[in-house]
Amino acid sequence: MIYVKQIVTLFLAILSFGFVLGQQEAKNSRERILLSDDWKFFRYENDGDSLIYDVRPEVKEDIDKREADAKPVEGDKATTEAFVLKPWILPSGNAFLKDKEKHHQIPDGHPGTDFPFVQADFDDSTWEQITVPHDWAARGEFYKGWDVPIGGGMGRLPVQGVAWYRKKLEIPLSDKGKSIYLDVDGAMSYAMVWINGKLAGGWPFGYASFRIDLTPYIIPGGDNQLAIRLDNPASSSRWYPGAGLYRNVWLTKTDPIQVDQWGTFIRSMNVSEQSADVTLDVTVANKGNEQRNIKVITSAYWIDREGKRRSKADFTFPEQSKVLQIGRKAVFSALATVRNPKLWGPAPEQTPHRYIAVTEVYVDGNLADTYETKFGIRSLEFDGTNGLFVNGQHVIMKGVNQHHDLGALGAAFNRRAAERQLEMLQEVGCNAIRMAHNPPARELLELTDSLGFLVVDEIFDNWKLRKTPLDFHLIFDDWHEQDIRAFMRRDRNHPSVIMWSYGNEVGEQYTEDEGAQLSAKLNAIVKEEDSSRPTTVSMNYAKAHMPFASVADIISLNYQGEGIRDAPAYRHLKGITAPPSFGAFREKHPNTMIISSENAAAVSSRGEYFFPVYPENSAPIDEGQGGNNELAQVSGYELYTVPFGSSADKVFATMDENPYVAGGFVWTGWDYIGEPTPYYQSKSSYFGMIDLAGFKKDRFYLYQSYWRPDFPMAHILPHWNWPERINDTVPVHVFTSGDEAELFLNGKSLGRKMKEKGDYRLRWDDVVYQPGELQVIAYKNGQKWAENKVRTTDAAVALRLTSDKPTIKSDGEDLIFVTVDVVDDRGDIVPRSNQDLIFTIEGPGEIVATDNGNANDLVSFASLERKAFNGKALTIIQAKKGQTGAIKVTVKSGHLKGGNLLLEVK
């Protein structure tokens, strides 16, 4: 009997232990649910409804008629009055206001409660069903002409107006007592959120990631109605802002005792290959109804590029305990010394190793919350003479500026599309990205972490003074602190982020001490959030002696380094002028690191070449000087720039003459929607070394030759199809990482040339055109290095389809990019072919968009019919969620042999 009693006791103990474990697992109530499907969407055709955030001034200016580097000015004041919801929205930012005296109180009442769109029983069956991320404008028709609601500067797509998103949230009874949040990664713009008819909060800045506490309004045990209103003004941006819930949206559920929003901060010190000191701060909030005994334990694991972690912890932080009062937050700080750490460093010189910290929060011995933080261990040094050092190794920043749109996808974030952009940038030799001029998608920083890019993380394009009538200046006073602190807490654990930029070409550069004082105020906020990284603000006007230049830690110069409108070809132009200025800043600030935060601003169209060719190395674009107003295209000889810019050749020479400059960021890596200087009836920029569709311009190879000197390459331009120029001159230029090259036409040498100091291309400007084959053989140190050929093609006979990968996931997110080439009977791309193309698809997939890289093509991205542009076009394919099988993509064009491609869905 005693034996049986012991067995029963042991059995009950095991059950009890399992029950306790189950209780502990249940108490670890953090869930993060991606809200991507089953949204309903409606956009007004008129001005919308009266539920406005605030009144706005009347727009009296055509922003397309402003010079790109025009001086910012005072904003106009609103002259009308109306009932506004701003007082109910401002409290959403309280967690990011340091001074609690400035915290906003929620007024009485719930504006909009009676509005039909926020009601659970409103019939939204006629609304469009969409998935998020969603850009309502990207698949729209482009506006054409001058007198339109959205001009070239903002991309000619219908981004303007008021729209609503609705979704049912099923909240089970088991969630009773939990904290429930809506986490929005990006909403453009003036977001306001209702849940079950109650206004829960919002956030006006369209690039911010923000959290809305739904807890007071949630009804566990059934459906809860979510409604989000967005209001996107025209004349609010200098580029394409996108529209809608264009980044991910999440539902987060936690125990009332929880790691706070973006509540961990990990830094490394005393870093070497042998050891590193890693500090961890964990902010825990008590949103329960009694004080609790809190214990925090964190372990760190090495992870691979895909984020998979080792089974055994690499190191742990010392356990921390505190008593946490009701409604309070506490920071739990710990330090761990890591032996033989795997260091994060920029590719290709170093390896971007990463770790993940798993933090467990225990309440009275029970697990209440688990929170994961990816991070890297690395050291950074910023030297005024020698530049940037990462982990003790000198690294030159070979950077590009990137806007946030993804070409034909618009602003709707897609991980694979962003990864494709970064992969091509690494191919050209780029190792650094400046996020121009706003916080990027969180997932983009995960990619820069895993791929090993250096990142300048930037937040504002303007402060109090405006660049466009309805830009950020309208909300700067109310929101700048909240936006800065939220942005930094979100991004501060990313090892790829090496500096914070809190302004780009702001108007306060012009206001002497007043502007410097405002800069110092913002700089102080940044430093309070993170003193481990330097600050910067980019200057295209402020000079070395001005107080504005002395505030931030790093001097960032836009175009001033190589001079603005300074060379002979530019001196007749009006606007900002500056001599080559690196030397002046160096002399005035000898111990401060300098970077060229924007340079070049060269423009070109892929595959377009106009004659004559400018004989020097840089010239402003003009009709007959690299430009063609009728075609709205720019010559691809890569010598032409906007009025304030310089060619790549001139930039390279300036950087080489000033080796203390830590690196530079080209304007831009990829073309982007909007800002189509100099042709504002077009839709997208001409600045990129890669066009909007992802096809390489000739400038790609010019940068590759400079950034990758050890990579054997040679590239000839232009193409060799010039029947109208037989016996006339067609200049031939060669970009190569070699130091000399010999050019042959139909086997006959046209001479061997060597790069002299200051040469970054080899030019044969007197070549007389004859059909046939051009060949270049490049040499380095007297040895054959690389070669390249172009030849006159035959007539176009077929279409050839190729993809960036053979298989696609059926997750509803993965993409395949299919290139269409117009080819002759030898398989050569016919360079001047612009045939009409028709795209079709069979199987479990859909065509998301088509493009061709032509900035002046105003055919909708959603169209299944478009012209090739100089022999190429693109279609973007997505698999239907949950389906597998084979997808067949077909493209046809008149008498040409159609092309097709089979893709496997997994």
Side-chain angles (χ1 to χ4, degrees):
M1 290 292 295
I2 295 175
Y3 179 76
V4 172
K5 186 176 180 180
Q6 290 174 331
I7 294 293
V8 170
T9 301
L10 178 62
F11 178 70
L12 291 174
I14 291 171
L15 283 178
S16 176
F17 180 68
F19 178 72
V20 170
L21 282 180
Q23 276 191 317
Q24 290 182 354
E25 290 174 1
K27 299 230 12 134
N28 176 25
S29 56
R30 181 173 291 268
E31 289 183 81
R32 189 163 165 81
I33 302 166
L34 181 63
L35 303 179
S36 57
D37 298 328
D38 301 323
W39 288 86
K40 290 299 188 73
F41 168 76
F42 171 81
R43 175 171 173 255
Y44 289 99
E45 295 296 329
N46 52 27
D47 292 335
D49 49 57
S50 60
L51 298 173
I52 60 174
Y53 171 82
D54 201 358
V55 293
R56 299 185 185 123
E58 181 183 357
V59 176
K60 303 175 183 178
E61 176 187 352
D62 182 350
I63 63 175
D64 280 357
K65 294 181 180 178
R66 283 176 60 87
E67 291 290 335
D69 63 341
K71 177 182 175 180
V73 297
E74 290 279 355
D76 296 327
K77 304 298 182 183
T79 56
T80 58
E81 294 184 3
F83 178 75
V84 300
L85 276 60
K86 182 170 76 168
W88 283 265
I89 304 304
L90 285 169
S92 297
N94 280 347
F96 304 98
L97 286 170
K98 181 181 179 181
D99 185 353
K100 291 185 177 171
E101 295 296 320
K102 296 181 179 179
H103 283 199
H104 302 277
Q105 301 301 313
I106 301 176
D108 293 334
H110 288 281
T113 294
D114 297 328
F115 191 72
F117 294 176
V118 309
Q119 301 298 317
D121 59 358
F122 173 73
D123 182 6
D124 58 16
S125 59
T126 61
W127 287 21
E128 182 182 359
Q129 184 159 330
I130 56 96
T131 59
V132 170
H134 176 247
D135 180 346
W136 79 57
R139 296 179 66 82
E141 297 294 329
F142 288 97
Y143 292 112
K144 300 176 177 66
W146 290 114
D147 188 18
V148 293
I150 301 293
M154 289 179 64
R156 297 193 167 273
L157 285 169
V159 296
Q160 80 285 6
V162 175
W164 286 81
Y165 291 82
R166 283 169 48 93
K167 182 177 173 61
K168 298 285 188 183
L169 302 178
E170 184 179 349
I171 308 295
L173 274 173
S174 57
D175 285 340
K176 187 175 182 179
K178 294 182 180 179
S179 296
I180 299 179
Y181 304 102
L182 184 75
D183 289 331
V184 180
D185 287 349
M188 192 63 69
S189 52
Y190 290 93
M192 297 191 286
V193 177
W194 282 261
I195 184 74
N196 295 326
K198 301 295 192 297
L199 179 58
W203 205 286
F205 185 35
Y207 295 102
S209 296
F210 60 92
R211 165 172 283 185
I212 302 298
D213 188 356
L214 304 182
T215 311
Y217 315 106
I218 285 290
I219 304 172
D223 285 338
N224 289 253
Q225 183 63 57
L226 177 67
I228 302 176
R229 181 190 189 273
L230 301 181
D231 183 0
N232 214 25
S235 302
S236 61
S237 177
R238 298 189 299 126
W239 57 83
Y240 178 71
L245 297 175
Y246 68 102
R247 293 177 183 164
N248 284 324
V249 178
W250 307 82
L251 191 69
T252 301
K253 306 176 184 179
T254 70
D255 189 273
I257 308 298
Q258 60 198 250
V259 175
D260 201 24
Q261 182 187 16
W262 304 314
T264 57
F265 189 15
I266 301 177
R267 282 118 35 233
S268 11
M269 302 173 294
N270 307 317
V271 175
S272 70
E273 293 183 355
Q274 289 73 43
S275 69
D277 293 332
V278 180
T279 63
L280 166 69
D281 293 337
V282 180
T283 302
V284 179
N286 182 354
K287 299 194 176 182
N289 52 16
E290 58 182 309
Q291 74 174 33
R292 308 303 291 266
N293 297 309
I294 309 298
K295 180 173 66 177
V296 174
I297 301 174
T298 302
S299 299
Y301 305 78
W302 178 85
I303 58 176
D304 63 18
R305 177 175 165 178
E306 283 70 41
K308 296 178 182 177
R309 74 190 196 203
R310 286 178 173 164
S311 58
K312 182 180 178 181
D314 287 74
F315 61 94
T316 59
F317 291 89
E319 177 183 308
Q320 304 289 309
S321 297
K322 289 184 182 181
V323 175
L324 189 54
Q325 303 297 323
I326 302 170
R328 303 298 294 273
K329 297 178 183 180
V331 178
F332 294 74
S333 299
L335 182 146
T337 298
V338 184
R339 302 301 177 191
N340 303 313
K342 291 183 177 293
L343 303 183
W344 185 96
E349 294 89 355
Q350 302 181 40
T351 303
H353 290 292
R354 293 180 298 155
Y355 293 86
I356 189 168
V358 180
T359 298
E360 295 177 324
V361 178
Y362 290 86
V363 178
D364 299 327
N366 296 317
L367 181 63
D369 196 9
T370 301
Y371 189 90
E372 296 183 346
T373 309
K374 294 176 183 175
F375 68 101
I377 299 174
R378 49 102 175 102
S379 69
L380 300 171
E381 300 171 64
F382 302 87
D383 186 273
T385 299
N386 299 305
L388 173 67
F389 291 80
V390 183
N391 302 322
Q393 181 180 358
H394 182 234
V395 177
I396 298 173
M397 285 180 276
K398 305 170 183 176
V400 302
N401 286 274
Q402 287 284 96
H403 270 302
H404 77 304
D405 75 74
L406 294 168
L409 300 175
F413 185 80
N414 179 274
R415 185 183 180 90
R416 173 56 199 151
E419 183 180 49
R420 172 179 177 248
Q421 288 195 341
L422 294 176
E423 288 170 347
M424 290 187 69
L425 290 172
Q426 282 193 323
E427 182 186 350
V428 78
C430 172
N431 67 359
I433 310 288
R434 177 172 174 249
M435 301 297 178
H437 306 287
N438 42 260
R442 181 179 51 83
E443 295 86 353
L444 180 56
L445 291 178
E446 291 179 1
L447 287 169
T448 57
D449 288 346
S450 64
L451 292 172
F453 283 89
L454 303 167
V455 170
V456 177
D457 209 358
E458 188 163 82
I459 185 167
F460 296 139
D461 187 48
N462 63 286
W463 301 338
K464 286 177 175 288
L465 299 176
R466 72 168 179 85
K467 295 180 180 177
T468 62
L470 301 180
D471 64 19
F472 183 76
H473 81 279
L474 294 178
I475 56 174
F476 176 87
D477 286 336
D478 287 333
W479 285 93
H480 66 269
E481 181 182 351
Q482 302 94 307
D483 281 323
I484 290 174
R485 295 190 192 277
F487 149 73
M488 293 183 64
R489 291 179 199 176
R490 189 198 72 164
D491 293 352
R492 62 190 175 183
N493 292 310
H494 289 281
S496 59
V497 175
I498 65 167
M499 69 181 78
W500 303 109
S501 174
Y502 58 92
N504 171 69
E505 299 181 357
V506 296
E508 284 74 7
Q509 293 177 96
Y510 296 80
T511 59
E512 295 294 335
D513 288 338
E514 182 182 353
Q517 289 168 10
L518 180 54
S519 180
K521 176 183 176 182
L522 301 179
N523 189 72
I525 296 172
V526 175
K527 287 297 187 183
E528 287 175 356
E529 290 295 323
D530 178 18
S531 61
S532 70
R533 295 175 176 91
T535 60
T536 194
V537 56
S538 290
M539 301 174 288
N540 68 328
Y541 171 79
K543 305 301 185 286
H545 65 277
M546 295 180 178
F548 193 93
S550 300
V551 177
D553 299 325
I554 303 291
I555 290 173
S556 289
L557 300 181
N558 286 6
Y559 310 106
Q560 293 194 69
E562 55 274 12
I564 301 175
R565 297 181 177 91
D566 177 70
Y570 297 78
R571 286 180 183 152
H572 65 287
L573 301 171
K574 295 180 180 179
I576 294 173
T577 60
S581 300
F582 285 139
F585 279 88
R586 167 76 169 158
E587 181 177 358
K588 183 69 175 177
H589 308 276
N591 298 317
T592 303
M593 196 178 88
I594 300 172
I595 64 172
S596 179
S597 45
E598 281 181 35
N599 60 44
V603 284
S604 60
S605 304
R606 175 184 54 80
E608 295 284 342
Y609 306 95
F610 305 136
F611 307 99
V613 175
Y614 192 70
E616 305 298 328
N617 73 350
S618 187
I621 181 70
D622 204 349
E623 177 70 6
Q625 185 171 271
N628 186 308
N629 292 351
E630 182 179 354
L631 298 176
Q633 304 294 354
V634 184
S635 177
Y637 275 95
E638 308 299 2
L639 295 167
Y640 307 101
T641 77
V642 297
F644 56 84
S646 298
S647 70
D649 307 63
K650 185 183 175 187
V651 170
F652 297 161
T654 307
M655 297 294 284
D656 288 346
E657 290 166 3
N658 299 276
Y660 52 85
V661 178
F665 294 81
V666 182
W667 192 267
T668 56
W670 283 59
D671 277 338
Y672 54 94
I673 308 174
E675 205 169 20
T677 309
Y679 302 117
Y680 270 75
Q681 292 212 47
S682 295
K683 70 175 187 291
S684 59
S685 80
Y686 298 78
F687 291 113
M689 63 178 74
I690 302 168
D691 74 20
L692 201 67
F695 302 138
K696 300 167 186 174
K697 300 181 187 179
D698 293 289
R699 202 170 345 127
F700 179 97
Y701 301 98
L702 180 56
Y703 277 93
Q704 189 178 64
S705 71
Y706 182 69
W707 280 346
R708 299 182 64 183
D710 297 327
F711 176 62
M713 58 81 61
H715 176 77
I716 298 174
L717 66 144
H719 61 72
W720 211 238
N721 279 33
W722 301 103
E724 75 279 18
R725 297 187 71 84
I726 291 177
N727 297 323
D728 201 351
T729 300
V730 176
V732 176
H733 292 191
V734 172
F735 305 149
T736 178
S737 52
D739 49 39
E740 59 180 322
E742 187 170 11
L743 184 68
F744 299 86
L745 176 56
N746 296 327
K748 180 181 177 181
S749 175
L750 300 183
R752 182 161 168 165
K753 299 193 175 190
M754 178 173 286
K755 290 180 182 176
E756 303 295 338
K757 183 179 179 181
D759 289 340
Y760 301 94
R761 66 176 75 201
L762 295 169
R763 301 175 64 147
W764 286 260
D765 283 333
D766 56 356
V767 176
V768 177
Y769 177 77
Q770 292 293 332
E773 182 178 89
L774 273 177
Q775 179 188 24
V776 67
I777 299 176
Y779 299 86
K780 194 159 192 170
N781 299 322
Q783 302 296 313
K784 185 176 178 180
W785 180 247
E787 63 179 298
N788 184 226
K789 296 178 181 179
V790 296
R791 61 185 175 186
T792 308
T793 67
D794 295 328
V797 298
L799 303 175
R800 180 178 63 214
L801 274 59
T802 55
S803 65
D804 63 329
K805 57 182 184 176
T807 62
I808 185 171
K809 299 174 186 176
S810 61
D811 58 4
E813 298 178 18
D814 195 16
L815 299 174
I816 282 183
F817 293 82
V818 177
T819 297
V820 182
D821 292 325
V822 182
V823 298
D824 67 6
D825 53 6
R826 294 181 295 187
D828 291 342
I829 298 173
V830 182
R832 299 172 78 175
S833 51
N834 301 297
Q835 285 87 348
D836 293 319
L837 306 176
I838 300 174
F839 300 80
T840 58
I841 190 169
E842 302 172 50
E846 62 177 335
I847 295 174
V848 177
T850 64
D851 195 9
N852 57 18
N854 180 357
N856 194 40
D857 185 347
L858 299 184
V859 173
S860 169
F861 290 133
S863 176
L864 301 184
E865 298 183 15
R866 77 168 56 251
K867 290 181 178 292
F869 180 57
N870 291 329
K872 300 181 81 70
L874 176 79
T875 183
I876 305 173
I877 307 300
Q878 187 172 64
K880 294 179 179 177
K881 193 169 184 178
Q883 299 186 29
T884 59
I887 292 174
K888 183 180 180 181
V889 182
T890 301
V891 184
K892 296 181 179 180
S893 178
H895 68 280
L896 301 184
K897 181 181 178 182
N900 59 72
L901 186 67
L902 291 177
L903 305 170
E904 183 182 0
V905 181
K906 289 187 175 181

